Amino acid sequence: MTASPSSVTLALDTATPWLTLALVWPGGELSVSREVGRAHAELLPQAARTLFDDVGLPFRADLIVIGTGPGSYTGVRVGASYALGLGRVWGAPVLGVSTLEALVRGEGKQGVSLDARKGNVYGAVYEVQSGMVHTRLHDPARLPLPDFQAILGDTPHHHDVAPDGLALLRAGVAHGQREWALAYL
């Protein structure tokens, strides 16, 4: 689904210790990400309203993008439940995209990963163009860290960085899925 130039799109991710939100509207965009540990459920509703208030928009979006994980069981479910609830109330589709796509930085080939405990990572390798994933070079998978490092070779690697809400939003608009499943670390 492609957002129209006159539409408002909200993206949110609660899969990591970061609460990440992004908003794009005609003439502007805003992204916020703050480390909240496990307090997503307590902070998400007010943070979303504040995002809209800060830019002077009514609390309503035409499209919602959700980071589907991998992440903590509770964190991923908090964001998904909230996005689905808003989507139902607003009559807006909710598109899912991997949280790993929100970890990309800059341009070119790069690896991204999240700690999956016990020496493992949940990682992927992407080709990034215009600030979003263009091609999957290695699909998201849970691997021992040394195995993922062998796949990466000299490729730049972003590990456990704060998700970029605008990267998530752009990926969702470009290739987000209406039928999505949550992924856990």
Side-chain angles (χ1 to χ4, degrees):
M1 166 166 222
T2 303
S4 75
S6 64
S7 66
V8 175
T9 302
L10 171 67
L12 64 99
D13 188 278
T14 58
T16 72
W18 297 83
L19 171 56
T20 300
L21 298 163
L23 191 62
V24 172
W25 67 97
E29 61 185 32
L30 178 63
S31 179
V32 295
S33 195
R34 75 181 230 227
E35 195 166 6
V36 299
R38 296 179 180 204
H40 297 96
E42 296 87 354
L43 300 172
L44 176 58
Q46 186 57 49
R49 284 193 177 274
T50 299
L51 188 69
F52 282 83
D53 289 346
D54 286 350
V55 299
L57 290 174
F59 190 56
R60 185 183 188 309
D62 303 296
L63 176 65
I64 302 168
V65 175
I66 178 69
T68 60
S72 77
Y73 181 82
T74 302
V76 171
R77 288 184 157 325
V78 163
S81 298
Y82 187 72
L84 290 169
L86 288 179
R88 167 88 36 118
V89 169
W90 293 342
V94 178
L95 303 180
V97 66
S98 173
T99 296
L100 293 174
E101 294 197 33
L103 305 182
V104 300
R105 301 289 188 265
E107 300 289 313
K109 181 180 177 184
Q110 54 193 271
V112 296
S113 67
L114 294 169
D115 182 12
R117 298 186 275 296
K118 297 183 181 179
N120 295 302
V121 295
Y122 209 114
V125 181
Y126 299 123
E127 180 66 37
V128 178
Q129 294 178 1
S130 302
M132 72 173 187
V133 172
H134 181 265
T135 307
R136 288 183 187 165
L137 303 173
H138 187 277
D139 285 333
R142 185 174 190 199
L143 301 163
L145 179 58
D147 292 357
F148 187 62
Q149 289 171 327
I151 291 167
L152 289 172
D154 293 336
T155 302
H157 179 205
H158 309 291
H159 178 67
D160 282 333
V161 297
D164 178 342
L166 290 173
L168 181 75
L169 187 145
R170 290 182 184 113
V173 169
H175 56 258
Q177 302 294 309
R178 283 185 182 263
E179 299 294 324
W180 42 269
L182 300 176
Y184 307 104
L185 289 172

